[in-house]
């Protein structure tokens, strides 16, 4: 899977690229079967909403779940990022965000690189998110909202919000968000389970609470060019990884072959 | 303004009717100039969000604001409701809901008649809301979400939620909402300032918090057939009015003529 020149130009200009139906329904069924198991785990990497029970996000499940490991090393996710970042990448962060029906809380307006730079001393925005929609994403389950072209502004001033949700975040002030949204608008890419959204690490984004009756699970891979690895090890290693080994993408059919390979190994 | 037979059938089947651009930009400018003034008033009818400062809703402003009085008695809002309810109507409730940028909080899943019946002893669902969009309503400023056809289920079991927001509401349980949404889907009518949404008083609806940078002010008229007036006077009269005088609609140009008439009266 190679991005075209037109896609690369779009990404550079708009700061994001939406790729519908990158994974098949058969692949998604295998991946989705793992999600409730991961979110049910009582381990420190699985964060709850402020209510103490609803899953909010599970970090680093690729380190202990074989399906998530294969998702993380999947060529359809890793190769487009290697192409844009122009070189080998490592896994900086891996999350399965839940945004649970009725209870999933807000993600405030922020830039990812702002957090990576301030908290982890990542030198440059040579890192980015690629998100895999596990559920269909609609306007009714808290889709990601992004401000196109906002990545060109560089790292914006931010404050460390420790109060709004269970997850600390460097968030942007309202005047900045309003000015940018007035200038560039807001978009919310939507699509079927198996669709992929990649976005620049300086792109301004947020997502609404989910008041609807349908879950919205998404895998977020944050991949970083190996030369651009983090310098400060303040956050737990399962939030900001310290293993900078370049990813070697797995074969394209690695999700579908998991069952036979797992059986063969038993 | 007469609803067609097709519109009446749609309303009966779906439980709502969306009418784009019922009021002109010129009319909306006159109406919208009043909204910040009303929301800034320090009076008991103007409710704040849980933060104590952001306006949430202003009740009964038609009783002291001449523009809002004319909106409330406007033939383009009153006559379609008289047509559906088949007779004279009075104002049961009047609200200017703010849903302010960044701070506007959720309206939980509910039916309006559930509240009117339980709190005010309104006998039958021969009453309904007609909403006038003051701002453009988009997917990014907390639009109303409705479950089409849910009005056919009658009054559903509900619990009195006194905790989630600053406004007490009889809210529906999650299983009921999920079942209905799975069966009928969810829609969020969107449109320009001046558009109108009418919906059955048993239609299940909610609206998301507004995390976006744009306000979403809406006038809600709750009109009730005069024979169906409330029997219990528990809530303040500016929340559930006790004057059951039938509305006599004003002339169609009553918004545009307000300035000359006000000047003439001075």
């Amino acid at each position: 899977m190679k991005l075209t020149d037109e896609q690369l130009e779009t990404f550079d200009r708009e700061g994001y690229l939406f790729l519908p139906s990158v994974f098949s329904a058969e692949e998604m069924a295998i991946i989705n079967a793992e999600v409730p198991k991961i979110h049910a785990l009582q381990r420190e990497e699985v964060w709850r909403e402020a209510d103490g029970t609803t899953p909010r996000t599970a970090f680093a499940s690729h380190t202990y779940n074989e399906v998530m490991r294969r998702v993380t090393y999947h060529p359809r996710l890793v190769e487009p990022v290697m192409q844009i970042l122009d070189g080998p990448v490592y896994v900086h962060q891996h999350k399965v965000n839940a945004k649970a029906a009725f209870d999933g809380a807000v993600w405030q307006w922020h830039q990812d690189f702002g957090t990576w730079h301030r908290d982890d001393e990542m030198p440059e925005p040579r890192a980015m998110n690629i998100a895999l929609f596990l559920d269909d994403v609609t306007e009714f389950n808290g889709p990601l909202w992004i401000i196109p072209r906002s990545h060109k502004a560089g790292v914006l001033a931010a404050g460390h919000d420790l109060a709004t949700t269970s997850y600390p975040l460097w968030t942007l002030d309202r005047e900045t968000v309003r000015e940018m949204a007035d200038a560039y608008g807001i978009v919310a890419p939507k699509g079927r389970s198996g669709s992929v959204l990649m976005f620049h690490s300086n792109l301004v984004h947020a997502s609404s609470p989910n008041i609807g009756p349908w879950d919205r699970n998404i895998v977020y891979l944050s991949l970083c060019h190996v030369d651009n690895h983090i310098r400060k090890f303040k956050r737990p290693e399962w939030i900001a990884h310290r293993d900078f080994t370049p990813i070697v993408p797995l074969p394209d059919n690695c999700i579908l072959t998991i069952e036979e390979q797992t059986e063969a190994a038993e």
Side-chain angles (χ1 to χ4, degrees), chain A residues 16-33:
Chain A
Y16 75 99
L17 215 47
F18 179 66
L19 308 169
S21 300
V22 172
F23 289 81
S24 70
E26 202 181 348
E27 291 172 313
M28 294 315 298
I30 294 170
I31 298 167
N32 278 332

Side-chain angles (χ1 to χ4, degrees), chain A residues 13-83:
Chain A
R13 186 181 64 247
E14 302 296 327
Y16 75 99
L17 215 47
F18 179 66
L19 308 169
S21 300
V22 172
F23 289 81
S24 70
E26 202 181 348
E27 291 172 313
M28 294 315 298
I30 294 170
I31 298 167
N32 278 332
E34 303 303 307
V35 173
K37 292 188 243 172
I38 292 168
H39 281 148
L41 292 172
Q42 296 296 327
R43 42 190 301 165
E44 62 180 350
E45 300 98 321
V46 182
W47 286 40
R48 310 282 157 194
E49 299 285 7
D51 65 16
T53 54
T54 310
R56 179 170 175 83
T57 187
F59 289 98
S61 59
H62 69 301
T63 61
Y64 59 80
N65 181 290
E66 175 60 17
V67 174
M68 280 301 163
R69 189 185 74 83
R70 293 185 183 212
V71 168
T72 306
Y73 294 171
H74 202 289
R76 283 177 240 152
L77 297 174
V78 175
E79 287 176 356
V81 178
M82 289 174 67
Q83 199 181 345

Side-chain angles (χ1 to χ4, degrees), chain A residues 74-105:
Chain A
H74 202 289
R76 283 177 240 152
L77 297 174
V78 175
E79 287 176 356
V81 178
M82 289 174 67
Q83 199 181 345
I84 287 177
L85 296 180
D86 198 19
V89 297
Y90 76 94
V91 183
H92 171 59
Q93 190 173 85
H94 179 287
K95 294 195 293 285
V96 186
N97 279 7
K99 191 63 79 88
F102 297 112
D103 286 314

